[in-house]
């Protein structure tokens, strides 16, 4: 069975051999090779067809790798993260992003399905609902040398079932912030000894979440302009009775600071702000206690307004009160690469085209496809180190640096040109691989 898979792929996937049993390992190699080489939908049948196994008698064992086989996706996620950190962030702080995404799926047999707001088709004045699965993704924000920028590389993806699905099973619904807290703490345990920075959107700007993970990593997120901010509690006077104060005097809201002429704005230049190479911003920052009755957390807030007036004012927070405001903004803008990754996995890796119905197969397939994005990037980086990687250019689309489509193309070429596929078996229906498919 190993002869069906190129030897180079076996070497690339060897760090994950301990995650699977010996009987499943060969089938995993075939499925991964088929998922990389398939140009269309990512189903088990499509993977077998592209690998030349569409007439094999034991095709059901490949389906059982996802639906019934015993293997740990969490162990695979940990090994993937360590490989990515060694390759792209060997030293310095490790920056990760956490975000949720909706996989559009229909079917009564998909038990975790829910009805959500479609973030792609909706706008401020138009609300679009969609049926699907909600996934919580944790990605490594790492600089890729041959792209000249930062990519978001998924390594841990968790299913967040809908409230209706939890009620139908008689279980307590776990909120997205609870899932996020567990994912962040799990990542911190995997990267003990490394400085960890997590960037998130407003969905994770919750006092309880920030308070629980503050001791293990720094979190950067958006902050409401009307948030209730207070000074730290004053020192307790000797001999005073009663409960010690939790907060000090109330501070002006960020909305009030925007209109206050005495606000000490500072002009800075940030790279990568909303896709721009550089952007001039006016910022002001300070520390405060973000308080809500019964809960609070100490933060550093950063208030931002566009010097050119093109964007509305925004506010951000960091759980590290000693962090530099410009560094906070520099870390946060990297989070926008998450949307690019989510679009790429749909366009090139067939996310939302899989057709599994069993609970375990659904729980595994989408995280595997998202992890495949990171694996392809890692393999392309090794190929680039050996002989370089050039972008595929056309006259109407000038492209200075390689993109993920170029990384996927060079990995596919490495597999197609391996000795495994050099000599084809006799088959009256076989045909030569067109150059367009080979370079796709």
């Amino acid at each position: 069975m190993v002869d069906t898979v190129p030897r180079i792929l076996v070497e690339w996937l060897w760090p994950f051999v301990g995650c699977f049993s010996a009987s499943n390992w060969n089938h995993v190699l075939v499925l991964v090779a088929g998922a990389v080489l398939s140009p269309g939908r990512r189903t088990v049948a499509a993977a077998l067809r592209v690998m030349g196994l569409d007439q094999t008698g034991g095709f059901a064992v490949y389906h059982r790798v996802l639906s019934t086989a015993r293997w740990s996706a969490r162990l695979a996620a940990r090994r993937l993260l360590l490989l990515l950190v060694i390759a792209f962030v060997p030293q310095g702080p490790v920056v990760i992003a956490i975000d949720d995404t909706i996989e559009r799926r229909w079917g009564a047999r998909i038990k975790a399905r829910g009805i959500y707001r479609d973030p792609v088709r909706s706008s401020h004045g138009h609300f679009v609902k969609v049926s699907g699965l909600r996934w919580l993704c944790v990605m490594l924000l790492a600089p890729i040398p041959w792209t000249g920028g930062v990519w978001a590389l998924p390594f841990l993806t968790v299913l967040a079932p809908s409230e209706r699905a939890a009620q139908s099973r008689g279980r307590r619904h776990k909120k997205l912030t609870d899932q996020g807290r567990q994912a962040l703490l799990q990542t911190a345990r995997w990267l003990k000894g490394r400085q960890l920075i997590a960037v998130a959107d407003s969905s994770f700007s919750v006092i309880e979440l920030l308070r629980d993970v503050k001791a293990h990593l720094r979190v950067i997120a958006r902050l409401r302009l009307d948030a209730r901010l207070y000074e730290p509690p004053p020192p307790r006077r000797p001999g005073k009775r009663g409960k010690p104060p939790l907060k000090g005097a109330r501070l002006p809201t960020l909305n009030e600071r925007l209109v206050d002429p005495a606000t000490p704005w500072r002009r800075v230049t940030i790279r990568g702000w909303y896709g721009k190479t550089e952007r001039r911003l006016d910022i002001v920052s300070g520390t405060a206690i973000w308080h809500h009755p019964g809960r609070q957390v100490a933060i550093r807030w950063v208030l931002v307004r566009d010097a050119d007036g093109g964007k509305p004012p925004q506010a951000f927070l960091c759980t590290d009160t000693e962090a530099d405001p410009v560094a906070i903004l520099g870390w946060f803008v990297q989070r926008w690469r998450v949307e690019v990754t989510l679009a790429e996995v749909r366009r090139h890796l067939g996310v939302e085209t899989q057709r599994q119905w069993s609970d375990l197969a659904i729980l595994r397939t989408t995280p595997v496809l998202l992890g495949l994005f990171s694996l392809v990037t890692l393999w392309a980086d090794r190929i680039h180190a050996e002989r370089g990687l050039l972008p595929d250019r056309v006259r109407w689309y000038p492209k200075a640096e390689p993109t993920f489509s170029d990384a996927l193309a060079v990995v596919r070429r490495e597999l197609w040109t391996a000795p495994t596929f050099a000599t084809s078996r006799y088959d009256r229906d076989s045909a030569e691989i067109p150059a367009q498919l080979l370079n796709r």
Side-chain angles (χ1 to χ4, degrees):
M1 186 63 68
V2 177
D3 295 338
T4 310
V5 179
R7 179 58 57 180
I8 185 64
L9 183 65
V10 179
E11 297 175 2
W12 287 343
L13 289 175
W14 193 252
F16 301 93
V17 66
C19 302
F20 307 93
S21 64
S23 59
N24 285 324
W25 175 242
N26 293 332
H27 306 312
V28 170
L29 294 175
V30 172
L31 291 177
V32 173
V36 173
L37 297 176
S38 295
R41 295 167 60 177
R42 293 314 194 277
T43 62
V44 174
L48 294 179
R49 288 192 188 99
V50 78
M51 295 298 294
L53 300 175
D54 52 326
Q55 300 300 322
T56 183
F59 61 89
V61 296
Y62 296 96
H63 291 271
R64 287 197 286 268
V65 170
L66 298 172
S67 60
T68 62
R70 297 183 61 182
W71 54 274
S72 174
R74 183 180 301 180
L75 178 59
R78 178 179 181 271
R79 297 192 177 183
L80 175 59
L81 172 61
L82 296 180
L83 288 175
L84 295 174
V85 169
I86 293 173
F88 300 118
V89 197
Q91 56 187 359
V94 178
V95 184
I96 62 174
I98 184 169
D99 201 1
D100 64 301
T101 185
I102 305 299
E103 176 193 350
R104 293 182 292 257
R105 293 289 296 273
W106 288 92
R109 298 172 63 182
I110 303 179
K111 300 176 183 178
R113 180 176 59 90
I115 304 298
Y116 304 98
R117 175 184 177 271
D118 191 340
V120 177
R121 296 178 174 86
S122 300
S123 62
H124 292 289
H126 184 61
F127 184 84
V128 179
K129 295 188 295 184
V130 63
S131 169
L133 300 169
R134 192 178 200 180
W135 296 94
L136 180 67
C137 304
V138 188
M139 307 185 186
L140 176 68
L141 298 176
I144 309 300
W146 37 273
T147 66
V150 173
W151 281 18
L153 305 176
F155 62 88
L156 178 63
T157 304
V158 181
L159 180 63
S162 64
E163 185 174 359
R164 182 186 63 181
Q167 293 175 353
S168 64
R169 298 186 178 186
R171 299 178 180 176
R172 182 183 63 87
H173 174 60
K174 184 182 292 186
K175 297 186 293 185
L176 185 66
T177 52
D178 294 332
Q179 299 268 17
R181 181 183 66 252
Q182 288 182 312
L184 291 176
L185 293 178
Q186 178 69 82
T187 305
R189 286 193 292 269
W190 288 343
L191 295 177
K192 285 185 178 180
R194 295 295 300 269
Q195 182 183 359
L196 193 59
I197 302 170
V199 294
D201 209 344
S202 55
S203 300
F204 302 92
S205 184
V206 179
I207 294 178
E208 295 92 334
L209 170 63
L210 302 176
R211 179 195 61 201
D212 293 343
V213 304
K214 181 179 180 179
H216 305 277
L217 69 162
R218 287 188 278 182
V219 180
I220 299 170
R222 294 186 183 273
L223 179 64
R224 294 170 57 99
L225 294 176
D226 59 351
R228 297 164 59 94
L229 303 179
Y230 295 83
E231 292 181 350
R236 186 179 178 86
R237 290 180 295 177
K240 185 177 180 180
R241 295 183 177 182
K243 184 180 179 180
L246 299 177
K247 62 185 187 300
R250 177 76 182 267
L251 294 173
T253 66
L254 301 183
N255 272 325
E256 294 171 346
R257 293 182 185 273
L258 282 172
V259 298
D260 186 357
T263 300
W265 296 100
R266 177 163 64 102
R267 180 68 55 85
V268 298
T269 301
I270 302 295
R271 294 183 59 87
W273 186 263
Y274 281 97
K276 301 289 185 180
T277 303
E278 291 185 349
R279 191 81 173 188
R280 296 183 306 160
L281 302 174
D282 294 330
I283 69 170
V284 63
S285 179
T287 59
I289 299 294
W290 183 18
H291 176 83
H292 192 78
R295 49 193 182 274
Q296 65 181 32
V297 64
I299 62 169
R300 169 167 288 279
W301 55 266
V302 182
L303 183 59
V304 178
R305 71 179 185 185
D306 194 343
D308 301 328
K311 297 291 182 181
Q314 303 178 58
F316 306 91
L317 66 86
C318 180
T319 55
D320 181 7
T321 57
E322 302 297 328
D324 179 63
V326 177
I328 292 174
L329 297 179
W331 286 321
F332 187 83
V333 298
Q334 297 180 20
R335 196 201 72 84
W336 294 327
R337 291 295 306 183
V338 171
E339 303 300 331
V340 178
T341 295
L342 295 177
E344 297 280 20
V345 296
R346 287 176 169 87
R347 182 179 301 113
H348 299 292
L349 295 180
V351 171
E352 296 183 348
T353 65
Q354 57 269 42
R355 289 295 178 266
Q356 285 79 15
W357 301 108
S358 69
D359 294 342
L360 190 55
I362 290 174
L363 197 63
R364 289 171 166 175
T365 306
T366 300
V368 167
L369 291 178
L370 286 166
L372 190 59
F373 179 94
S374 302
L375 286 175
V376 169
T377 305
L378 183 63
W379 298 338
D381 181 71
R382 296 177 182 177
I383 297 174
H384 170 75
E386 295 177 359
R387 51 183 179 274
L389 197 161
L390 297 177
D392 183 20
R393 298 185 178 94
V394 292
R395 184 172 295 275
W396 58 86
Y397 180 40
K399 185 165 56 172
E401 304 290 346
T403 60
F404 180 73
S405 62
D406 300 306
L408 183 58
V410 74
V411 170
R412 283 174 169 170
R413 173 175 284 274
E414 190 76 10
L415 297 180
W416 279 128
T417 56
T420 302
F421 298 115
T423 304
S424 300
R425 298 184 298 271
Y426 175 76
D427 189 347
R428 61 183 181 182
D429 295 327
S430 64
E432 294 182 359
I433 301 173
Q436 183 179 5
L437 177 59
L438 178 63
N439 296 322
R440 187 168 179 175

